[in-house]
C-alpha cells in the first residue's frame, strides 16, 4: 500500500463522506473534477484534484474528469488537451484507476449533455417553473434589485406554458438574435439570495462550440448545466470552492423542481488555495501568456501544473503539498516555500547527484601530471545507496565556481583563497598557490593550485582539517550545458490583491529568469532525456527541459537545496543571498 494511502488525510468533507459510506446512503461514492477549458490548470486546481480523486480513492469510488464547457466563447481544444494531460500526470501511479472517463477513454463534457439538459429545460417549462423572458440585459439587471430590497417580477413571467414552449423551441431553432430572449426559472424575485431571483438558465449565442460545433445556438448557464451534469453522471458529492456556496440553493432547487427518480448529488464547498508570490486567476495568467511576459503557459515560473512539471516538480510532491495544506472553510495564503519544501523532500530521495559548475573559474593543478586522468568514486545518492556509485574523472585542469574563490576572503568565507587549502569533493585537497588576472578588467581568470596525492578520495590520513568542500568538474571531460535559474514570478506576496490603481503586472519580478549558457558538468550528463532530474551538488535540483537536444542540453533549476528566499526575507529586502562557508 502506498505511503499516501496510509497517511489518509482527514477534513470536514471527508468526515461527511465517511458518514455517508457508513449509512450506505449511496450505491458508491462518485466525485468529479469539472474544469472549464478556458485556461491551463494551476496549483489551486491541483488541490481540488487531490481532494476529489483522493476521496474517490479512499472510498473505492470514482472521480469523473468533466470539461465544464458551457461557454463557447472562451473555451478551446488546446485547453481540453492540456487539462487532460495534467490531470493524468498529477494522479499517475496514485489514483489512475479511479479516473472516470467515457468508454472511448476521453473525458466527459457538459456539452455531451446539451440535449438532455435542453429536455430538462422543457420539463421545467411544462411544469410552469421556467419562462422565456424578453427583458434586455440592462432591464433584467434593474428588475433584479439589490440584496437588501426585493426585485421586480418580469412582465413576461406569466406567459402560458404553450407560449413559453413555442418561444423556447424557436430560440433553439435560431429564430432570434443574441441577447433578445432568455429562459429563466421562476423562483422568487424577493429572495435575499440574488441567485434565486429568477436566474437565467439559457441564453442565445450564435457561436460555434469547440465540441458541439454549430448544433446549438442556445447554451445553458453554468448553474443549470452543472447540477444536471452531476445528476446525469451519478455524482454523489459535488465538491467546489466557497464562491459557489451562494449558488447551492439554486443547485438544489433545480434538481428538486425536476422531481428526478434517482438520488440527487449534493454540493460541498471548501476554501480555495492561494499561494504567495503568484497569481491564480486564469484571466491574469492568460494575460501574462498573451503579452509574452512569460514563455507560455508551461513557463517554469508559472503556477500552472504544466509549468511545474516542466520545472521538474514531481507529481507526488504536489500531492504531498495538497495533503499538508489540508481542506478547510477559511481562505488563507500558503507560503510558496512550503511547496518548495515538498519538492525538495521528494527529490532528495530520488535524484541522482552530479557535479556541475554554473559560473566556471579555471584551475590548473600544477603538480598533477599532464595528460593523466584519475577515475574517482562518487556516490549517486547518499539517501538511497541502491542507486550505486559512479566514476568521476579528475585531471590537471578543472573548473570550480567563481563564487567559491575570493582573493581577499571576508571573515566567514572558508572556501578557496590564496594560500588556503580546501577539499575537492570526492577528489583531493588542494591549496591555492597563485592567480592570473585579466590585465584590463583585473578580474581573476585562472587559479593555480597544488594537490596532495595522499588525500585521494578527499581523505586526510594525517587527520588535518579543512573547513570547506567544494565541487568541481574536469575541464577535459566537461559537458557544456545551459541552465535556467528561476526566482519568484512576483516581488510581492499577493499580487492578485493590490492597491487600487495599480496593475498586478507592475509587481512582476524582473529577475525571475537567469540563463547561464556556459555551465560545465560531469560527463554523466552527456546522455540525458527530457524530464530527468539531478541534484547538482550544493546548487539544487535541475531538470532537463523538453527543448533540450543532444547538442544543446538545457536544464531548469527546479529548486535550490535550502530555502534561500526565507533567509533573504528575514534579513530584509536587498540583502545579499546567504552564503555558506
Ligand atoms: P475561473 O477563474 O474561470 O472561474 P476557476 O479557477 O474557478 O476558473 P474552474 O475551471 O472553474 O476554474 O475550476 C475547476 C475546479 O477547480 C472547480 O471545482 C474550482 O472550484 C476548483 N478550483 C479552482 N481554483 C481553485 C483554487 N485556487 N483552489 C482550489 N480549488 C480551485
Ligand atoms: Mg470557475
Amino acid at each position: 500500500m502506498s505511503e499516501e494511502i496510509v497517511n489518509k488525510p482527514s477534513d470536514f468533507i471527508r468526515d461527511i463522506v465517511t458518514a455517508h459510506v457508513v449509512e450506505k446512503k449511496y450505491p458508491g461514492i462518485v466525485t468529479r473534477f469539472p474544469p472549464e477549458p478556458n485556461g491551463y490548470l494551476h496549483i489551486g486546481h491541483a488541490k481540488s484534484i487531490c481532494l476529489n480523486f483522493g476521496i474517490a480513492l479512499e472510498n473505492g469510488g470514482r472521480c469523473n474528469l468533466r470539461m465544464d464547457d458551457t461557454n463557447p466563447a472562451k473555451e478551446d481544444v488546446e485547453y481540453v488537451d492540456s487539462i487532460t494531460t495534467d490531470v493524468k500526470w498529477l494522479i499517475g501511479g496514485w489514483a489512475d484507476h479511479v479516473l472516470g472517463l467515457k468508454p472511448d477513454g476521453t473525458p466527459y463534457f457538459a456539452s455531451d449533455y446539451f440535449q438532455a439538459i435542453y429536455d430538462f429545460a422543457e420539463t421545467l417549462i411544462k411544469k410552469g417553473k421556467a419562462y422565456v423572458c424578453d427583458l434586455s440585459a440592462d432591464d433584467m439587471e434593474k428588475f433584479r434589485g439589490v440584496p437588501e430590497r426585493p426585485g421586480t417580477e418580469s412582465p413576461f413571467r406569466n406567459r402560458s406554458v404553450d407560449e413559453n414552449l413555442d418561444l423556447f423551441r424557436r430560440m433553439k431553432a435560431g429564430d432570434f438574435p443574441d441577447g433578445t430572449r432568455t429562459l429563466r426559472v421562476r423562483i422568487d424575485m424577493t429572495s435575499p439570495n440574488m441567485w434565486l431571483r429568477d436566474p437565467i438558465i439559457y441564453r442565445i449565442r450564435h457561436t460555434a462550440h469547440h465540441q458541439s460545433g454549430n448544433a446549438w445556438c442556445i447554451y445553458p448557464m453554468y448553474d443549470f448545466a452543472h447540477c444536471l451534469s452531476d445528476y446525469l453522471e451519478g455524482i454523489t458529492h459535488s465538491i467546489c470552492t466557497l464562491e459557489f456556496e451562494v449558488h447551492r440553493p439554486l443547485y438544489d432547487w433545480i434538481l428538486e423542481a425536476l422531481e428526478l427518480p434517482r438520488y440527487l448529488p449534493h454540493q460541498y464547498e471548501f476554501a480555495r488555495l492561494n499561494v504567495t508570490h503568484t497569481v491564480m486567476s486564469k484571466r491574469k495568467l492568460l494575460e501574462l501568456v498573451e503579452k509574452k511576459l512569460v514563455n507560455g503557459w508551461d513557463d517554469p515560473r508559472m503556477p500552472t501544473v504544466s509549468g511545474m512539471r516542466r520545472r521538474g516538480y514531481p507529481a507526488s510532491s504536489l500531492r504531498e503539498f495538497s495533503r499538508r495544506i489540508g481542506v478547510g472553510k477559511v481562505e488563507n495564503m500558503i507560503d510558496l516555500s512550503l511547496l518548495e519544501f515538498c519538492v525538495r523532500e521528494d527529490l532528495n530521495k530520488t535524484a541522482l547527484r552530479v557535479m556541475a559548475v554554473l559560473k566556471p573559474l579555471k584551475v590548473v593543478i600544477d603538480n598533477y601530471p599532464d595528460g593523466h586522468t584519475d577515475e574517482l568514486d562518487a556516490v549517486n545518492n547518499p539517501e538511497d545507496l541502491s542507486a550505486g556509485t559512479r566514476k568521476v574523472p579528475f585531471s590537471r585542469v578543472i573548473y570550480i565556481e567563481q563564487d567559491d574563490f575570493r582573493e581577499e576572503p571576508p571573515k566567514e568565507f572558508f572556501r578557496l583563497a590564496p594560500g588556503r587549502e580546501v577539499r575537492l569533493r570526492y577528489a583531493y585537497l588542494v591549496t591555492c598557490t597563485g592567480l592570473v588576472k585579466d590585465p584590463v578588467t583585473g578580474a581573476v581568470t585562472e587559479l593555480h593550485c597544488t594537490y596532495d596525492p595522499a588525500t585521494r578520495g578527499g581523505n586526510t590520513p594525517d587527520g588535518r582539517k579543512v573547513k570547506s568542500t567544494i565541487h568541481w568538474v574536469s575541464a577535459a571531460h566537461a559537458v557544456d550545458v545551459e541552465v535556467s535559474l528561476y526566482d519568484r514570478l512576483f516581488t510581492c506576496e499577493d499580487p492578485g490583491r493590490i492597491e487600487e490603481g495599480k496593475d498586478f503586472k507592475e509587481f512582476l519580478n524582473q529577475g525571475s529568469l537567469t540563463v547561464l549558457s556556459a555551465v560545465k558538468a560531469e560527463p554523466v550528463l552527456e546522455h540525458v532525456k527530457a524530464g530527468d532530474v539531478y541534484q547538482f551538488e550544493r546548487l539544487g535540483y535541475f531538470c532537463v527541459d523538453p527543448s533540450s537536444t543532444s547538442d544543446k542540453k538545457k536544464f531548469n533549476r527546479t529548486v535550490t537545496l535550502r530555502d534561500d528566499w526565507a533567509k533573504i526575507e528575514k534579513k530584509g529586502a536587498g540583502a545579499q543571498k546567504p552564503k555558506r562557508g
Side-chain angles (χ1 to χ4, degrees), residues 33 94 157 162 182 187 215 219 236 299 341 368 380 393 424 442 477 495 522 574:
F33 174 66
W94 171 61
R157 199 174 198 255
D162 286 344
T182 57
I187 309 183
Y219 290 96
T236 55
D299 186 305
F341 170 83
Y368 193 87
N380 283 334
L424 295 177
H477 305 88
E522 257 186 62

Side-chain angles (χ1 to χ4, degrees), residues 420-565:
R420 186 181 287 172
E421 184 172 57
V422 297
R423 176 183 289 105
L424 295 177
R425 181 97 163 123
Y426 304 119
Y428 297 96
L429 268 58
V430 293
T431 305
C432 180
T433 52
L435 50 86
V436 179
K437 285 186 181 179
D438 182 306
V440 181
T441 64
V444 176
T445 55
E446 186 176 308
L447 297 182
H448 285 264
C449 287
T450 53
Y451 86 116
D452 178 354
T455 58
R456 194 171 194 276
N459 300 313
T460 48
D462 59 356
R464 74 178 187 272
K465 298 252 183 300
V466 287
K467 280 200 169 154
S468 183
T469 299
I470 63 176
H471 60 275
W472 54 274
V473 169
S474 162
H477 305 88
V479 178
D480 290 298
V481 305
E482 181 184 290
V483 161
S484 295
L485 304 179
Y486 301 103
D487 199 348
R488 306 287 191 247
L489 186 52
F490 290 91
T491 51
C492 69
E493 273 214 348
D494 193 358
R497 215 168 295 170
I498 45 177
E499 283 169 58
E500 213 167 308
K502 293 220 171 199
D503 185 292
F504 78 104
K505 299 191 293 304
E506 290 172 31
F507 296 90
L508 273 169
N509 178 1
Q510 298 306 326
S512 60
L513 170 64
T514 308
V515 180
L516 302 173
S517 47
V519 175
K520 302 287 181 185
E522 257 186 62
V524 282
L525 295 193
E526 185 58 61
H527 304 287
V528 291
K529 58 177 192 315
D532 287 354
V533 181
Y534 289 89
Q535 185 194 99
F536 290 2
E537 294 205 27
R538 298 174 67 225
L539 299 172
Y541 296 95
F542 294 74
C543 175
V544 182
D545 193 75
S547 69
S548 183
T549 63
S550 53
D551 292 335
K552 186 160 192 180
K553 295 180 214 1
K554 294 189 193 173
F555 284 79
N556 297 313
R557 177 148 71 185
T558 310
V559 67
T560 55
L561 288 185
R562 289 162 295 118
D563 187 0
D564 285 344
W565 186 263

Side-chain angles (χ1 to χ4, degrees), residues 118 122 125-126 132 159-176 181 183:
Y118 174 86
E122 283 209 355
I125 294 174
K126 288 175 193 155
V132 172
R159 275 175 164 155
S160 70
V161 168
D162 286 344
E163 189 185 2
N164 279 321
L165 261 187
D166 174 60
L167 285 172
F168 188 49
R169 287 174 183 167
R170 286 171 59 199
M171 278 168 66
K172 175 178 183 260
D175 286 1
F176 311 119
R181 290 197 158 91
L183 184 70

Side-chain angles (χ1 to χ4, degrees), residues 34-36 38 45 68 222 241 243-244 272 282:
E36 186 181 348
N38 62 353
H45 294 118
D68 218 326
Y222 168 86
T241 34
E243 71 271 22
F244 292 101
R272 63 172 49 230
K282 283 194 266 189

Side-chain angles (χ1 to χ4, degrees), residues 17-130:
V17 175
T18 305
H20 290 161
V21 171
V22 169
E23 69 185 71
K24 297 196 171 61
K25 184 165 176 167
Y26 302 104
I29 299 300
V30 189
T31 58
R32 86 285 171 269
F33 174 66
E36 186 181 348
N38 62 353
Y40 279 56
L41 297 184
H42 53 57
I43 182 74
H45 294 118
K47 171 177 177 172
S48 176
I49 292 169
C50 291
L51 176 61
N52 280 295
F53 282 89
I55 287 178
L57 186 67
E58 292 148 21
N59 294 284
R62 178 166 49 93
C63 177
N64 287 354
L65 172 58
R66 182 203 311 146
M67 302 296 158
D68 218 326
D69 58 345
T70 51
N71 181 356
K74 284 193 292 177
E75 298 163 1
D76 198 282
V77 207
E78 178 196 350
Y79 301 134
V80 171
D81 294 343
S82 74
I83 290 170
T84 310
T85 304
D86 288 351
V87 168
K88 287 184 175 171
W89 175 75
L90 195 55
I91 66 167
W94 171 61
D96 331 58
H97 57 289
V98 300
L99 170 61
L101 298 170
K102 286 192 288 194
D104 67 356
T106 57
Y108 292 96
F109 286 86
S111 55
D112 289 342
Y113 312 131
F114 278 172
Q115 184 61 48
I117 293 170
Y118 174 86
D119 294 341
F120 283 128
E122 283 209 355
T123 304
L124 286 182
I125 294 174
K126 288 175 193 155
K127 287 176 182 283
K129 291 176 179 172

